[in-house]
Amino acid sequence: MALQLDNLVEYWGDKQLAPMLFVNAQQRIVWHNRWAKWLFQSSLGNKDLRQLPAGKELAAFAARVRKYRDSLLTRIAIDDLVLDVEGRMMGNGNSDLTVLKFHTPFLSRGAALELHKLMQDFALEAGDRVNNPLTTVLNCLNLILRDVRANRTDRLETYVELAIREAHVMKEFGDWVRRLSEEPPLRDGFNLLPVLTEVLDRRNCLHLLDAGEDIPPVQGCPDHARIVLGGLVNLMRQASEDQAFTVRVRPQGRTLVTVEINTQKSQVKDLRMLTEEFYGGLGLLAARYLLALMQAQLELEFMGDIGIRVTFIALPEVESQSPLPSSSA
């Protein structure tokens, strides 16, 4: 059993982007990926399935899968999040492990719009990051072919070196995209103002900060926020004619906190066309993706002029630290 589980974990690892659990015949969780840990916000190692939110429903579903030894589908709600749960026996059905995978059944209109923006940024960034160096590589190969046919070799080394350099540019882009894909969703909290103060201070523009009172902690990761906000500040400074801009932080009710970065004199009409690079050169693609992991939202040109707004989710004033309720077998 242990060897079989080790082989399964080695095969699956964290490659699956959907939350995933392996459950044994005693309804114990013998393995989970990091997406499942994020979904349930709890340590899951060797925990009884019935101790989780919607645990009774999950345990009953797993029992049905085990009884009929067939692939089944059900729908549950976990903390008001509606999910489809796929259940099946591991491997060819001879294993005693039940696999549970959790899928989002649909996208809300807001989520679909944000996904569309992300894909727009990805298409724009990928087009530039791949097509430009690839064009250079193809041109070099055509020049090499031309010179070889003409028995001229004096420029071949130059063409090869240029093609190799541009190929490395494409490889680095692929490596950074892969790194982004490995970032898990984040629901921890941090204080936004110290992060933003550090970002502006390091760029010698702390005097541009206009922060309201009683800014609550927000959901996310301070390291990601530092990278994204630093890149967005650089982006706005590049967009402004005189490098003058303002950074305004305000709570929006009890649930949101906004950071607005604006300039009155812009020299561009589309911020996406600027080439200011951050997070390994991925620009707005990385910014929108990292913010999405924190359930924050990026909006460009939201005031009719050149402007940036990032909306974070404020943490509740009092967070419950009680463990997940357990259920009797």
Side-chain angles (χ1 to χ4, degrees), residues 271-310:
L271 287 171
R272 293 180 302 175
M273 303 310 297
L274 295 179
T275 59
E276 187 65 38
E277 299 179 2
F278 55 99
Y279 202 79
L282 292 186
L284 288 172
L285 163 64
R288 197 180 296 282
Y289 186 80
L290 292 175
L291 289 171
L293 294 176
M294 300 186 280
Q295 297 189 48
Q297 187 177 29
L298 172 65
E299 297 173 83
L300 302 179
E301 301 155 12
F302 66 95
M303 295 185 69
D305 200 345
I306 292 298
I308 299 171
R309 179 167 63 188
V310 181

Side-chain angles (χ1 to χ4, degrees), residues 102-288:
F102 300 81
H103 306 279
T104 305
F106 60 86
L107 285 176
S108 66
R109 292 175 64 186
L113 180 60
E114 190 66 16
L115 178 61
H116 177 66
K117 293 177 183 177
L118 177 62
M119 294 308 298
Q120 279 186 319
D121 286 340
F122 178 81
L124 179 67
E125 203 72 37
D128 290 341
R129 300 287 171 181
V130 174
N131 285 343
N132 292 345
L134 184 58
T135 299
T136 301
V137 171
L138 291 174
N139 288 338
C140 288
L141 291 175
N142 286 326
L143 292 172
I144 290 172
L145 181 61
R146 180 201 66 184
D147 286 3
V148 167
R149 287 174 174 173
N151 291 321
R152 290 175 6 200
T153 60
D154 56 315
R155 299 292 302 276
L156 291 183
E157 186 175 349
T158 300
Y159 297 149
V160 170
E161 290 178 350
L162 182 57
I164 290 175
R165 186 188 70 187
E166 295 302 299
H168 278 296
V169 170
M170 289 188 288
K171 171 117 182 10
E172 289 174 0
F173 172 76
D175 290 342
W176 280 106
V177 171
R178 187 175 297 108
R179 176 181 167 184
L180 279 178
S181 73
E182 296 170 352
E183 294 284 356
L186 300 158
R187 294 179 66 179
D188 295 332
F190 71 99
N191 290 318
L192 180 61
L193 280 184
V195 171
L196 191 54
T197 298
E198 178 187 342
V199 165
L200 296 174
D201 186 44
R202 293 178 63 180
R203 289 160 178 78
N204 198 29
C205 48
L206 183 57
H207 59 287
L208 302 174
L209 177 62
D210 174 17
E213 297 181 355
D214 299 326
I215 303 298
V218 298
Q219 179 174 296
C221 169
D223 292 335
H224 286 351
R226 193 174 292 110
I227 291 170
V228 171
L229 293 173
L232 295 177
V233 167
N234 287 342
L235 192 68
M236 185 56 65
R237 186 157 51 184
Q238 188 181 3
S240 175
E241 290 183 358
D242 52 7
Q243 295 192 352
F245 57 92
T246 59
V247 181
R248 187 171 181 265
V249 187
R250 293 289 186 273
Q252 303 294 326
R254 296 183 177 181
T255 59
L256 302 174
V257 176
T258 59
V259 178
E260 299 175 359
I261 311 173
N262 304 306
T263 181
Q264 297 299 318
K265 298 179 180 180
S266 172
Q267 58 183 350
V268 299
K269 291 184 177 180
D270 187 352
L271 287 171
R272 293 180 302 175
M273 303 310 297
L274 295 179
T275 59
E276 187 65 38
E277 299 179 2
F278 55 99
Y279 202 79
L282 292 186
L284 288 172
L285 163 64
R288 197 180 296 282

